[in-house]
Amino acid sequence: MLRPLPDALTDTLTVDYRVVPPAGVPVEAFADALLLEQTIETPRSVAARYPFVEAHLGGAVEAIALAGDGAYRVRLRLPTYTAASDPAQLLNVVFGNASLHAGVTLVGVDVPASVLVAGDYGPAHGADGLRRLCGAPARPLVASALKPAGLTAHELADVAYRLALGGCDVLKDDHYLASQPTAPLADRVVAVAGALDAAAQQTGRRTVYAPNVSGTPDVVLSNAEQAVALGADALLVAPMLVGLPTLHALRRFGVPILAHPAFAGASRVAPDVMIGQLFRLFGADAVIFAGHGGRFSVSLDEVRAIADAATRPMGPLRAALPTPAGGMTRERAAELVGVYGTDAMLLVGGSLLDAPDLTAAARDLVAAAEAATAALRP
Amino acid sequence: MLRPLPDALTDTLTVDYRVVPPAGVPVEAFADALLLEQTIETPRSVAARYPFVEAHLGGAVEAIALAGDGAYRVRLRLPTYTAASDPAQLLNVVFGNASLHAGVTLVGVDVPASVLVAGDYGPAHGADGLRRLCGAPARPLVASALKPAGLTAHELADVAYRLALGGCDVLKDDHYLASQPTAPLADRVVAVAGALDAAAQQTGRRTVYAPNVSGTPDVVLSNAEQAVALGADALLVAPMLVGLPTLHALRRFGVPILAHPAFAGASRVAPDVMIGQLFRLFGADAVIFAGHGGRFSVSLDEVRAIADAATRPMGPLRAALPTPAGGMTRERAAELVGVYGTDAMLLVGGSLLDAPDLTAAARDLVAAAEAATAALRP
């Protein structure tokens, strides 16, 4: 629970918007309107009646720069007083009403360390914690998905067993797996965790399991508690489906969190900000995103920006593990290691699941990741 | 809590996407890829191994039509089996991974009554319930906002008192009001509810108060419980800040819910679908949106589409009350009644708060709404 900050009145956060002003509106006037929207949201004459508001809560337009194609980059400096009260308010101050302007895209956010610390933001385990949990191999982590939804708990456990024998570090539920009667959460966790234990007796290494938690917030939280009690090593959640503050709340269960991007693309937030920064800020230890060259039309520049945002210094926050997905294949392991280095997780679903022998396919993927890692060394 | 549906395997939901396929990809192939994405999300060869999945969970591309400007309208028919498991999964099936395709916009959704009933979707009170709570005047409801954040509970109560004396039906918190030390939720509710009781002794009518609930889900839920216990008549929540499933969970507190659009504009979902349909579906009794001719660049067609989506027949669901906001003024009351009729709520913030005499200004607004209503009669 966040307590009022002593420095909430002097610290500021900055947001950067890419702005195309409405026709006929000068950018200076539009930037000022955005500032008003993200602060007092009343005429200045109303705020002027209240000395505390007038003195502390006005914020400022810090910079306006040309950004090409008739667009501008507008930087606002905003007081942290409102933002610091809870995680939903942080999001509100960053891009609440401003999001209602069609010409405005959130392209950057900088939250001061005072808010990050007081609000207990960021990954609780981080990339390093997740790697340690997997025995910290000197290569990218290798992950796959248990799917499709509609399989029974037993069928999912069978897939998990075969992929674990092949050496997968992490197995995550399909994001469609929730409480369907074919594989209710408790049955699924017990069956999969048991299968992973059995595989570990043969391989000597325990694969990490991240079941999906979904639903209304109380269901998400009780499912998470139950899953961890029954043997889940990590959790998968889609923050934009359940709400970013629910991601923040899941940190309490003591296991790493993988964040899935479902519904997150439907957004006028730059992907590196949404997935790299905001998912990390709200507590994701690994951030899953659509990789280049797969099913989704994304560029190498975009995925590099996401990986950079997930890992670059951000006050006291741990790095989150970049996890490209969505049509990654075994054959591309070397290329992916070339792009992301070894501090990443290669999430390969269909290409493994479609193989005649899942174990052999998983083994190939792990070997390819190892070979690509060895090739990186001077 | 949603239970498995007996008809989850035979009922279907439909989604409509506006689609611009990636360069060189035929629309038929892209539509099929979207279908895969929103159903089994594995190669079909994988699904074919599992008879249950193969038989029930594949869905279908129902229609592809030209939509102008190189775009198509693609209608998918999707099984409800996955969607019916919880509210987050409904959203996931409607627009989860499909949202990650830049060329895809959600423009329509049709959820079968079986899911609506089993999942307990929709407004618990609806437009009618909210109007009854306000004494059901024969004109649009008149609402205003308590703001800006930074005011003390006493200052907010003073604003509330003056607006209530003027006859406002509903007063909502500013969406930035959370747990800031200037006006913690409990202090605020007690002070404002007390002020509204005092005003009611003079006017004979009690103004409805909707405090804002914000934060991580457990905080939102405990704040809602506390607020209602202390005298809140309704609740305000921003579903896209806290997550749509959290809106669904708030229905349990037995009071009408006003949904605020913060962060909802940052979205590749048509506004009438997001605010009119999805907010209503997840339980909003009144849906607040940026009105035309105010601070936001929205057209008359857009606001009419939102109002229509909030109120038109949707299986067993109650109507939600259309609530235009964001720069509405007293002077525009007649025009707004002309657009929305009387089954609406006119949310006028700054234009009332900026007046020298809040009570007189509120009284003017109520009188203007009444006059416009009288003018509608034949």
Side-chain angles (χ1 to χ4, degrees):
Chain A
M1 201 28 222
L2 187 61
R3 294 271 53 92
L5 297 169
D7 33 14
L9 294 179
T10 51
D11 273 5
T12 55
L13 60 87
T14 58
V15 292
D16 285 46
Y17 300 129
R18 187 181 186 278
V19 164
V20 180
V25 179
V27 66
E28 292 78 11
F30 192 59
D32 191 61
L34 288 174
L35 175 66
L36 215 57
E37 206 64 73
Q38 295 309 106
T39 54
I40 56 176
E41 208 213 353
T42 54
R44 291 228 161 75
S45 50
V46 174
R49 297 177 193 165
Y50 304 97
F52 175 82
V53 175
E54 173 89 341
H56 299 298
L57 303 185
V61 176
E62 183 165 295
I64 299 176
L66 286 169
D69 292 333
Y72 299 86
R73 189 175 179 110
V74 170
R75 173 167 293 183
L76 304 183
R77 184 167 285 281
L78 302 169
T80 61
Y81 183 74
T82 299
S85 69
D86 68 60
Q89 286 301 317
L90 178 59
L91 191 58
N92 197 12
V93 168
V94 168
F95 202 42
N97 276 13
S99 83
L100 300 171
H101 287 286
V104 179
T105 302
L106 177 67
V107 294
V109 54
D110 187 21
V111 182
S114 59
V115 173
L116 296 177
V117 170
D120 198 17
Y121 282 98
H125 306 266
D128 288 349
L130 190 54
R131 294 184 67 89
R132 268 198 306 278
L133 187 62
C134 296
R139 54 163 173 75
L141 299 184
V142 167
S144 193
L146 305 181
K147 61 184 183 181
L151 269 58
T152 63
H154 177 79
E155 288 168 333
L156 291 166
D158 179 62
V159 172
Y161 178 73
R162 291 190 281 156
L163 290 171
L165 281 187
C168 280
D169 301 295
V170 174
L171 293 177
K172 65 171 247 325
D173 275 353
D174 186 33
H175 67 298
Y176 285 126
L177 281 170
S179 309
Q180 292 89 357
T182 27
L185 179 83
D187 296 1
R188 194 162 88 230
V189 173
V190 168
V192 172
L196 296 183
D197 286 343
Q201 294 207 327
Q202 295 194 44
T203 63
R205 285 183 70 240
R206 176 59 154 72
T207 295
V208 164
Y209 176 41
N212 183 42
V213 287
S214 174
T216 47
D218 31 6
V219 172
V220 169
L221 297 176
S222 68
N223 279 357
E225 185 169 19
Q226 183 182 37
V228 171
L230 292 176
D233 313 287
L235 296 168
L236 176 74
V237 70
M240 292 310 291
L241 294 180
V242 300
L244 278 165
T246 299
L247 167 58
H248 188 281
L250 284 171
R251 301 161 76 260
R252 76 180 66 152
F253 297 105
V255 300
I257 301 168
L258 283 59
H260 189 284
F263 199 50
S267 147
R268 237 174 324 95
V269 182
D272 59 313
V273 174
M274 176 63 95
I275 295 176
Q277 282 197 277
L278 292 181
F279 281 16
R280 177 187 180 193
L281 187 67
F282 280 80
D285 299 289
V287 293
I288 302 172
F289 54 90
H292 69 289
R295 299 201 304 271
F296 299 91
S297 300
V298 290
S299 70
L300 198 50
D301 282 350
E302 280 177 295
V303 300
R304 283 191 165 128
I306 294 173
D308 179 58
T311 55
R312 69 171 175 250
M314 189 171 171
L317 264 52
R318 291 185 170 86
L321 199 62
T323 305
M328 304 299 99
T329 63
R330 289 174 280 163
E331 294 72 21
R332 292 183 59 205
E335 175 209 344
L336 295 172
V337 172
V339 171
Y340 298 102
T342 55
D343 269 337
M345 178 152 64
L346 310 181
L347 176 50
V348 182
S351 150
L352 285 189
L353 297 171
D354 199 23
D357 181 338
L358 270 60
T359 302
R363 201 172 279 140
D364 283 355
L365 173 60
V366 172
E370 280 170 352
T373 300
L376 282 182
R377 296 202 190 96
Chain B
M1 202 25 223
L2 186 61
R3 295 273 51 95
L5 298 169
D7 33 14
L9 295 179
T10 50
D11 272 6
T12 54
L13 60 88
T14 58
V15 292
D16 286 48
Y17 300 130
R18 186 179 187 279
V19 164
V20 180
V25 178
V27 66
E28 293 79 11
F30 191 60
D32 191 62
L34 287 174
L35 175 65
L36 216 57
E37 206 65 73
Q38 295 307 107
T39 55
I40 56 176
E41 207 213 353
T42 55
R44 290 230 161 73
S45 49
V46 174
R49 296 177 192 166
Y50 304 97
F52 174 82
V53 175
E54 175 87 340
H56 298 298
L57 303 185
V61 176
E62 183 165 296
I64 299 176
L66 286 168
D69 292 333
Y72 299 86
R73 189 173 179 110
V74 171
R75 174 167 293 184
L76 304 183
R77 185 167 284 281
L78 302 169
T80 61
Y81 182 75
T82 299
S85 70
D86 68 60
Q89 286 301 318
L90 177 60
L91 190 59
N92 197 14
V93 168
V94 169
F95 202 43
N97 276 13
S99 82
L100 300 171
H101 286 286
V104 180
T105 302
L106 177 67
V107 295
V109 55
D110 186 22
V111 182
S114 59
V115 173
L116 296 177
V117 171
D120 198 16
Y121 283 97
H125 305 267
D128 288 349
L130 190 54
R131 293 184 67 90
R132 267 198 306 278
L133 187 62
C134 297
R139 54 161 171 77
L141 299 184
V142 167
S144 192
L146 306 180
K147 61 184 182 180
L151 269 58
T152 64
H154 177 79
E155 287 167 334
L156 292 167
D158 178 62
V159 172
Y161 178 73
R162 291 190 281 158
L163 290 171
L165 280 188
C168 280
D169 301 295
V170 175
L171 293 176
K172 66 171 249 321
D173 275 354
D174 186 31
H175 67 299
Y176 286 126
L177 280 169
S179 307
Q180 292 89 356
T182 26
L185 179 82
D187 296 2
R188 194 162 87 229
V189 174
V190 168
V192 172
L196 296 183
D197 286 342
Q201 294 206 327
Q202 295 195 42
T203 63
R205 284 183 70 239
R206 176 59 155 71
T207 295
V208 164
Y209 175 41
N212 183 42
V213 287
S214 173
T216 48
D218 30 7
V219 172
V220 169
L221 297 176
S222 68
N223 278 358
E225 185 169 18
Q226 182 182 36
V228 172
L230 292 175
D233 313 288
L235 295 168
L236 175 75
V237 69
M240 293 310 291
L241 293 181
V242 300
L244 278 164
T246 299
L247 167 59
H248 189 281
L250 283 172
R251 300 160 76 261
R252 77 180 65 152
F253 297 105
V255 299
I257 301 168
L258 283 58
H260 189 283
F263 198 51
S267 148
R268 239 176 322 96
V269 181
D272 59 313
V273 175
M274 175 64 95
I275 294 175
Q277 282 198 277
L278 293 181
F279 281 17
R280 176 187 180 193
L281 187 66
F282 280 81
D285 298 289
V287 293
I288 302 171
F289 54 90
H292 69 289
R295 298 201 304 272
F296 299 92
S297 300
V298 291
S299 71
L300 199 49
D301 282 350
E302 280 177 295
V303 300
R304 283 190 165 129
I306 294 172
D308 179 59
T311 55
R312 68 171 175 251
M314 189 173 173
L317 264 51
R318 290 185 170 86
L321 199 62
T323 305
M328 303 299 99
T329 61
R330 287 175 280 163
E331 293 72 20
R332 293 182 59 204
E335 174 209 345
L336 295 171
V337 172
V339 171
Y340 299 102
T342 55
D343 268 338
M345 178 154 63
L346 310 181
L347 176 49
V348 182
S351 150
L352 284 190
L353 297 171
D354 198 23
D357 180 338
L358 270 60
T359 301
R363 201 172 279 141
D364 282 355
L365 173 60
V366 173
E370 279 170 353
T373 300
L376 282 182
R377 296 201 190 97

Coordinates of all heavy atoms in Angstrom, one line a residue, chain A residues 175-238:
Chain A
H175 N -2.5 -18.2 -23.3 CA -3.2 -17.1 -22.6 C -4.7 -17.3 -22.6 O -5.4 -16.6 -22.0 CB -2.8 -15.8 -23.1 CG -3.2 -15.5 -24.5 ND1 -2.8 -16.3 -25.6 CD2 -4.1 -14.6 -25.1 CE1 -3.3 -15.8 -26.7 NE2 -4.1 -14.8 -26.4
Y176 N -5.2 -18.3 -23.4 CA -6.6 -18.6 -23.4 C -7.0 -19.6 -22.3 O -8.1 -19.9 -22.1 CB -7.0 -19.2 -24.8 CG -7.1 -18.2 -25.9 CD1 -6.4 -18.4 -27.1 CD2 -7.9 -17.0 -25.8 CE1 -6.5 -17.5 -28.1 CE2 -8.0 -16.1 -26.8 CZ -7.3 -16.3 -28.0 OH -7.4 -15.4 -29.0
L177 N -6.0 -20.2 -21.7 CA -6.3 -21.2 -20.6 C -6.7 -20.4 -19.4 O -6.0 -19.7 -18.8 CB -5.1 -22.0 -20.3 CG -4.8 -23.2 -21.3 CD1 -3.5 -23.8 -21.0 CD2 -5.9 -24.2 -21.2
A178 N -8.0 -20.6 -18.9 CA -8.5 -19.9 -17.7 C -9.1 -21.0 -16.8 O -8.4 -21.8 -16.2 CB -9.4 -18.9 -18.2
S179 N -10.4 -21.0 -16.7 CA -11.1 -21.9 -15.8 C -12.0 -22.8 -16.6 O -13.1 -23.2 -16.1 CB -11.9 -21.1 -14.8 OG -11.1 -20.2 -14.2
Q180 N -11.7 -23.1 -17.9 CA -12.6 -23.9 -18.7 C -12.7 -25.3 -18.1 O -11.7 -25.8 -17.5 CB -12.0 -24.1 -20.1 CG -12.0 -22.8 -21.0 CD -10.8 -21.9 -20.8 OE1 -9.9 -22.3 -20.0 NE2 -10.7 -20.9 -21.5
P181 N -13.8 -25.9 -18.2 CA -14.0 -27.2 -17.5 C -13.1 -28.3 -18.0 O -12.8 -29.3 -17.3 CB -15.5 -27.6 -17.8 CG -16.0 -26.6 -18.8 CD -15.1 -25.4 -18.7
T182 N -12.5 -28.2 -19.2 CA -11.6 -29.2 -19.7 C -10.3 -29.2 -18.8 O -9.7 -30.3 -18.7 CB -11.2 -29.0 -21.1 OG1 -11.3 -27.6 -21.4 CG2 -12.1 -29.8 -22.1
A183 N -9.9 -28.1 -18.3 CA -8.7 -28.0 -17.5 C -8.7 -26.9 -16.5 O -8.0 -25.9 -16.6 CB -7.5 -27.8 -18.5
P184 N -9.5 -27.1 -15.4 CA -9.6 -26.1 -14.4 C -8.2 -25.8 -13.8 O -7.3 -26.7 -13.8 CB -10.5 -26.7 -13.3 CG -11.3 -27.7 -14.1 CD -10.4 -28.3 -15.1
L185 N -8.0 -24.6 -13.3 CA -6.7 -24.2 -12.9 C -6.0 -25.2 -11.9 O -4.9 -25.6 -12.1 CB -6.8 -22.8 -12.3 CG -5.4 -22.3 -11.8 CD1 -4.6 -21.7 -12.9 CD2 -5.6 -21.3 -10.6
A186 N -6.7 -25.6 -10.9 CA -6.1 -26.4 -9.9 C -5.7 -27.8 -10.5 O -4.6 -28.3 -10.3 CB -7.1 -26.7 -8.7
D187 N -6.6 -28.4 -11.3 CA -6.2 -29.6 -12.0 C -5.0 -29.5 -12.8 O -4.1 -30.3 -12.9 CB -7.4 -30.1 -12.9 CG -8.7 -30.4 -12.1 OD1 -8.6 -30.3 -10.8 OD2 -9.7 -30.8 -12.7
R188 N -5.0 -28.4 -13.6 CA -3.9 -28.1 -14.5 C -2.6 -28.0 -13.8 O -1.6 -28.5 -14.2 CB -4.3 -26.8 -15.2 CG -3.6 -26.5 -16.4 CD -4.4 -25.4 -17.2 NE -4.2 -24.1 -16.8 CZ -5.1 -23.1 -16.5 NH1 -6.4 -23.5 -16.5 NH2 -4.8 -21.9 -16.3
V189 N -2.6 -27.2 -12.7 CA -1.3 -26.9 -12.0 C -0.8 -28.2 -11.4 O 0.4 -28.5 -11.5 CB -1.5 -25.8 -10.9 CG1 -0.2 -25.7 -10.1 CG2 -1.8 -24.5 -11.6
V190 N -1.7 -29.0 -10.8 CA -1.3 -30.2 -10.2 C -0.7 -31.2 -11.2 O 0.4 -31.8 -11.1 CB -2.4 -30.9 -9.4 CG1 -2.1 -32.3 -9.0 CG2 -2.8 -30.0 -8.2
A191 N -1.4 -31.3 -12.3 CA -1.0 -32.2 -13.4 C 0.3 -31.8 -14.0 O 1.2 -32.6 -14.2 CB -2.1 -32.4 -14.4
V192 N 0.4 -30.5 -14.4 CA 1.6 -30.1 -15.1 C 2.8 -30.1 -14.1 O 3.9 -30.6 -14.5 CB 1.4 -28.7 -15.7 CG1 2.7 -28.1 -16.2 CG2 0.4 -28.7 -16.8
A193 N 2.6 -29.6 -12.9 CA 3.7 -29.6 -11.9 C 4.2 -31.0 -11.7 O 5.4 -31.3 -11.6 CB 3.3 -28.9 -10.6
G194 N 3.3 -32.0 -11.6 CA 3.7 -33.4 -11.4 C 4.5 -33.9 -12.6 O 5.5 -34.6 -12.4
A195 N 4.0 -33.5 -13.8 CA 4.7 -34.0 -15.0 C 6.1 -33.4 -15.0 O 7.1 -34.1 -15.5 CB 3.9 -33.6 -16.2
L196 N 6.3 -32.1 -14.6 CA 7.6 -31.5 -14.6 C 8.5 -32.1 -13.6 O 9.7 -32.2 -13.8 CB 7.4 -30.0 -14.4 CG 6.7 -29.3 -15.6 CD1 6.6 -27.8 -15.3 CD2 7.3 -29.6 -16.9
D197 N 7.9 -32.5 -12.4 CA 8.7 -33.2 -11.4 C 9.2 -34.5 -12.0 O 10.4 -34.9 -11.8 CB 7.9 -33.5 -10.2 CG 7.6 -32.2 -9.4 OD1 8.4 -31.2 -9.5 OD2 6.7 -32.2 -8.5
A198 N 8.3 -35.2 -12.7 CA 8.7 -36.5 -13.3 C 9.8 -36.3 -14.3 O 10.8 -37.1 -14.4 CB 7.5 -37.2 -13.9
A199 N 9.7 -35.3 -15.1 CA 10.7 -35.1 -16.1 C 12.0 -34.7 -15.5 O 13.1 -35.1 -15.9 CB 10.3 -34.0 -17.1
A200 N 12.0 -33.9 -14.4 CA 13.2 -33.5 -13.7 C 13.9 -34.7 -13.2 O 15.2 -34.7 -13.1 CB 12.8 -32.5 -12.6
Q201 N 13.2 -35.8 -12.8 CA 13.9 -37.0 -12.3 C 14.8 -37.6 -13.4 O 15.8 -38.2 -13.1 CB 12.9 -38.0 -11.8 CG 12.2 -37.4 -10.5 CD 11.6 -38.5 -9.7 OE1 11.3 -39.6 -10.2 NE2 11.7 -38.3 -8.4
Q202 N 14.4 -37.4 -14.6 CA 15.2 -37.9 -15.7 C 16.3 -37.0 -16.2 O 17.3 -37.4 -16.6 CB 14.3 -38.2 -16.9 CG 13.3 -39.4 -16.6 CD 12.6 -39.9 -17.9 OE1 13.3 -40.1 -18.9 NE2 11.3 -40.1 -17.9
T203 N 15.9 -35.7 -16.2 CA 16.9 -34.7 -16.8 C 17.8 -34.1 -15.7 O 18.9 -33.5 -16.1 CB 16.1 -33.5 -17.4 OG1 15.4 -32.8 -16.4 CG2 15.2 -34.0 -18.5
G204 N 17.4 -34.1 -14.5 CA 18.1 -33.5 -13.4 C 17.9 -32.0 -13.3 O 18.5 -31.3 -12.5
R205 N 17.0 -31.4 -14.2 CA 16.7 -30.0 -14.1 C 15.2 -29.8 -14.1 O 14.5 -30.4 -15.0 CB 17.2 -29.2 -15.4 CG 18.7 -29.0 -15.3 CD 19.2 -28.2 -16.6 NE 18.7 -26.8 -16.5 CZ 17.9 -26.3 -17.4 NH1 17.4 -27.0 -18.4 NH2 17.5 -25.0 -17.3
R206 N 14.7 -28.9 -13.3 CA 13.3 -28.7 -13.2 C 12.8 -27.6 -14.1 O 13.4 -26.5 -13.9 CB 12.9 -28.4 -11.7 CG 11.4 -28.1 -11.4 CD 10.5 -29.2 -11.8 NE 9.2 -29.2 -11.1 CZ 8.3 -28.3 -11.2 NH1 8.4 -27.3 -12.1 NH2 7.2 -28.3 -10.5
T207 N 11.9 -27.8 -15.0 CA 11.4 -26.8 -15.8 C 10.4 -25.9 -15.0 O 9.6 -26.4 -14.2 CB 10.6 -27.4 -17.0 OG1 11.6 -28.1 -17.8 CG2 9.9 -26.4 -17.8
V208 N 10.5 -24.6 -15.2 CA 9.6 -23.6 -14.5 C 8.2 -23.6 -15.2 O 8.2 -23.5 -16.4 CB 10.3 -22.3 -14.5 CG1 9.3 -21.2 -14.2 CG2 11.5 -22.3 -13.6
Y209 N 7.2 -23.6 -14.4 CA 5.8 -23.6 -15.0 C 5.1 -22.3 -14.6 O 5.1 -21.9 -13.4 CB 5.0 -24.8 -14.5 CG 3.5 -24.8 -14.9 CD1 3.2 -24.4 -16.2 CD2 2.5 -25.1 -14.0 CE1 1.8 -24.4 -16.6 CE2 1.2 -25.2 -14.4 CZ 0.8 -24.8 -15.7 OH -0.5 -24.7 -16.1
A210 N 4.6 -21.6 -15.6 CA 3.8 -20.4 -15.4 C 2.4 -20.5 -15.8 O 2.1 -20.3 -17.0 CB 4.5 -19.2 -16.1
P211 N 1.5 -20.9 -15.0 CA 0.1 -21.0 -15.4 C -0.5 -19.6 -15.6 O -0.1 -18.6 -14.9 CB -0.6 -21.7 -14.2 CG 0.3 -21.4 -13.0 CD 1.7 -21.3 -13.6
N212 N -1.6 -19.5 -16.4 CA -2.2 -18.2 -16.7 C -3.3 -17.9 -15.6 O -4.0 -18.8 -15.2 CB -2.9 -18.3 -18.0 CG -3.6 -17.0 -18.4 OD1 -3.0 -15.9 -18.2 ND2 -4.7 -17.1 -19.0
V213 N -3.3 -16.7 -15.1 CA -4.4 -16.3 -14.2 C -5.2 -15.2 -14.9 O -4.7 -14.3 -15.5 CB -3.9 -15.8 -12.8 CG1 -3.4 -17.0 -12.0 CG2 -2.7 -14.8 -13.0
S214 N -6.5 -15.4 -14.7 CA -7.4 -14.5 -15.5 C -8.7 -14.4 -14.8 O -9.1 -15.2 -13.9 CB -7.7 -15.3 -16.9 OG -8.7 -14.6 -17.6
G215 N -9.5 -13.3 -15.1 CA -10.8 -13.2 -14.5 C -11.0 -11.8 -13.8 O -10.2 -10.9 -14.0
T216 N -12.1 -11.8 -13.0 CA -12.2 -10.6 -12.2 C -11.1 -10.6 -11.1 O -10.5 -11.6 -10.9 CB -13.6 -10.6 -11.5 OG1 -13.8 -11.9 -10.9 CG2 -14.7 -10.4 -12.5
P217 N -10.8 -9.4 -10.5 CA -9.6 -9.3 -9.7 C -9.6 -10.3 -8.6 O -8.5 -10.8 -8.3 CB -9.6 -7.8 -9.2 CG -10.9 -7.3 -9.6 CD -11.5 -8.1 -10.7
D218 N -10.7 -10.5 -7.9 CA -10.6 -11.4 -6.8 C -10.3 -12.8 -7.3 O -9.6 -13.6 -6.6 CB -11.9 -11.4 -5.9 CG -13.1 -11.0 -6.7 OD1 -13.0 -10.9 -7.9 OD2 -14.2 -10.8 -6.1
V219 N -10.9 -13.2 -8.4 CA -10.6 -14.5 -9.0 C -9.1 -14.6 -9.4 O -8.4 -15.6 -9.1 CB -11.5 -14.8 -10.2 CG1 -11.1 -16.1 -10.9 CG2 -12.9 -14.9 -9.8
V220 N -8.6 -13.6 -10.0 CA -7.2 -13.5 -10.4 C -6.3 -13.7 -9.2 O -5.4 -14.6 -9.2 CB -6.8 -12.2 -11.1 CG1 -5.3 -12.1 -11.2 CG2 -7.4 -12.1 -12.5
L221 N -6.6 -13.0 -8.1 CA -5.7 -13.1 -6.9 C -5.9 -14.4 -6.2 O -4.9 -15.0 -5.8 CB -6.1 -11.9 -6.0 CG -5.8 -10.5 -6.5 CD1 -6.2 -9.4 -5.6 CD2 -4.3 -10.3 -6.9
S222 N -7.1 -14.9 -6.1 CA -7.3 -16.2 -5.4 C -6.7 -17.4 -6.3 O -6.1 -18.3 -5.8 CB -8.7 -16.5 -5.0 OG -9.5 -16.7 -6.2
N223 N -6.8 -17.2 -7.6 CA -6.2 -18.2 -8.5 C -4.7 -18.2 -8.4 O -4.0 -19.3 -8.4 CB -6.6 -18.0 -9.9 CG -8.0 -18.6 -10.3 OD1 -8.6 -19.2 -9.4 ND2 -8.4 -18.4 -11.5
A224 N -4.1 -17.0 -8.3 CA -2.7 -16.9 -8.2 C -2.2 -17.6 -6.9 O -1.2 -18.4 -6.8 CB -2.2 -15.5 -8.2
E225 N -2.9 -17.3 -5.8 CA -2.6 -17.9 -4.5 C -2.6 -19.4 -4.6 O -1.7 -20.1 -4.1 CB -3.5 -17.3 -3.4 CG -3.1 -17.8 -2.0 CD -3.9 -17.0 -1.0 OE1 -4.9 -16.4 -1.3 OE2 -3.4 -17.0 0.2
Q226 N -3.7 -19.9 -5.1 CA -3.9 -21.4 -5.2 C -2.8 -22.0 -6.1 O -2.3 -23.0 -5.8 CB -5.3 -21.6 -5.8 CG -5.6 -23.1 -5.9 CD -7.0 -23.3 -6.5 OE1 -7.4 -22.6 -7.4 NE2 -7.7 -24.3 -6.0
A227 N -2.6 -21.3 -7.3 CA -1.6 -21.9 -8.2 C -0.2 -22.0 -7.5 O 0.4 -23.1 -7.7 CB -1.5 -21.0 -9.4
V228 N 0.2 -21.0 -6.8 CA 1.5 -21.0 -6.2 C 1.5 -22.1 -5.1 O 2.5 -22.9 -5.0 CB 1.9 -19.7 -5.6 CG1 3.1 -19.7 -4.8 CG2 2.1 -18.7 -6.8
A229 N 0.4 -22.2 -4.4 CA 0.3 -23.2 -3.3 C 0.4 -24.6 -3.9 O 0.9 -25.6 -3.3 CB -1.0 -23.1 -2.5
L230 N -0.1 -24.8 -5.1 CA -0.1 -26.1 -5.8 C 1.1 -26.5 -6.6 O 1.2 -27.5 -7.2 CB -1.4 -26.3 -6.6 CG -2.7 -26.3 -5.9 CD1 -3.9 -26.3 -6.9 CD2 -2.8 -27.5 -5.0
G231 N 2.0 -25.5 -6.6 CA 3.3 -25.9 -7.3 C 3.7 -25.0 -8.5 O 4.7 -25.3 -9.2
A232 N 2.9 -23.9 -8.8 CA 3.4 -23.1 -9.9 C 4.6 -22.3 -9.5 O 4.8 -21.9 -8.3 CB 2.3 -22.0 -10.2
D233 N 5.6 -22.2 -10.4 CA 6.9 -21.6 -10.1 C 6.8 -20.1 -10.5 O 7.7 -19.3 -10.2 CB 8.0 -22.3 -10.9 CG 7.9 -23.8 -10.8 OD1 8.2 -24.3 -9.7 OD2 7.5 -24.4 -11.8
A234 N 5.9 -19.7 -11.3 CA 5.8 -18.4 -11.9 C 4.3 -18.2 -12.3 O 3.5 -19.1 -12.2 CB 6.7 -18.2 -13.1
L235 N 4.0 -17.0 -12.7 CA 2.6 -16.8 -13.2 C 2.6 -16.1 -14.5 O 3.5 -15.3 -14.8 CB 1.9 -15.9 -12.2 CG 1.6 -16.4 -10.8 CD1 1.2 -15.3 -9.8 CD2 0.6 -17.6 -10.8
L236 N 1.6 -16.4 -15.3 CA 1.4 -15.6 -16.6 C 0.2 -14.8 -16.4 O -0.9 -15.3 -15.9 CB 1.2 -16.6 -17.8 CG 0.9 -15.9 -19.1 CD1 2.1 -15.3 -19.7 CD2 0.3 -17.0 -20.1
V237 N 0.2 -13.5 -16.9 CA -1.0 -12.7 -16.8 C -0.9 -11.7 -18.0 O 0.1 -11.4 -18.5 CB -1.0 -11.9 -15.5 CG1 0.1 -10.8 -15.4 CG2 -2.4 -11.2 -15.3
A238 N -2.1 -11.4 -18.5 CA -2.2 -10.4 -19.6 C -2.7 -9.1 -19.0 O -3.9 -8.9 -18.7 CB -3.2 -10.9 -20.7

